[in-house]
């Protein structure tokens, strides 16, 4: 995660159908804009949640974080139908910050999920969130 790296610098293959095989990890990649700079830099908290839409299905949601940009360390919590990862960042002031995380969903039940990414700007108190629906198949 650096200010000089943009999403276009990654060798990615978008998945417009939003359907992913459990046999391959999922890479989430996004950019963060307009964070407030303070003397300590830009301080923000990222939260990523994977929530199963059909909670009646068999098996608990399980995902393993196998890669994160800049080696971020966070706290993962889960219940039967969701898993969340939250971690804090402090970065030098920049117009854009690129973030990514790789998830191994090989043990997650197949089905539809809501993926939510939230960014809390700790200096301004402002939170931005985006959500997408994905399908996990065998």
């Amino acid at each position: 995660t650096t200010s000089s790296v943009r999403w276009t610098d990654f060798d990615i293959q978008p998945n417009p159908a939003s359907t992913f095989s459990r046999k391959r990890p999922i890479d989430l990649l996004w950019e963060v804009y307009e964070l407030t700079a303070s003397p300590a830099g830009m301080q923000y908290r990222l939260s990523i949640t994977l929530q199963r839409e059909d909670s009646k299905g068999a098996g608990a949601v399980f995902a393993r974080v196998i890669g994160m940009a800049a080696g971020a360390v966070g706290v993962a919590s889960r219940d039967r139908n969701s898993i969340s990862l939250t971690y804090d960042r402090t970065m030098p002031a920049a117009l854009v910050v690129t973030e990514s995380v790789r998830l191994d969903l090989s043990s997650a039940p197949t089905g539809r999920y809501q993926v939510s990414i939230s960014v809390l700007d700790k200096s301004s108190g402002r939170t931005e969130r985006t959500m997408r629906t994905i399908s996990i198949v065998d």
Side-chain angles (χ1 to χ4, degrees):
T1 304
T2 66
S3 60
S4 62
V5 176
R6 298 294 304 265
W7 72 269
T8 53
D9 296 323
F10 287 80
D11 183 19
I12 60 173
Q13 186 173 18
N15 185 330
S18 299
T19 300
F20 301 89
S21 170
R22 292 189 321 170
K23 297 173 184 159
R24 299 186 63 190
I26 294 176
D27 291 301
L28 303 176
L29 176 70
W30 67 98
E31 290 183 338
V32 181
Y33 307 98
E34 299 179 11
L35 291 168
T36 305
S38 70
M42 299 182 312
Q43 298 178 327
Y44 56 103
R45 173 170 292 145
L46 291 166
S47 298
I48 303 160
T49 301
L50 184 67
Q51 173 78 41
R52 185 168 48 171
E53 285 188 353
D54 179 9
S55 61
K56 299 176 190 119
V61 173
F62 182 76
R64 187 169 56 102
V65 177
I66 57 175
M68 299 180 76
V73 176
V75 175
S77 64
R78 68 180 176 121
D79 61 31
R80 182 162 180 76
N81 296 308
S82 68
I83 184 167
S84 295
L85 172 70
T86 301
Y87 55 98
D88 292 329
R89 288 271 209 223
T90 300
M91 303 292 292
L95 295 175
V96 179
V97 176
T98 303
E99 291 282 349
S100 67
V101 64
R102 176 173 280 184
L103 301 175
D104 173 0
L105 299 175
S106 59
S107 297
T110 60
R112 290 173 48 90
Y113 291 80
Q114 287 288 325
V115 177
S116 172
I117 299 173
S118 296
V119 180
L120 166 64
D121 183 333
K122 292 174 123 183
S123 295
S124 71
R126 185 183 55 154
T127 299
E128 295 291 333
R129 185 170 83 171
T130 188
M131 293 175 58
R132 298 288 185 268
T133 300
I134 66 168
S135 295
I136 299 174
V137 297
D138 279 327

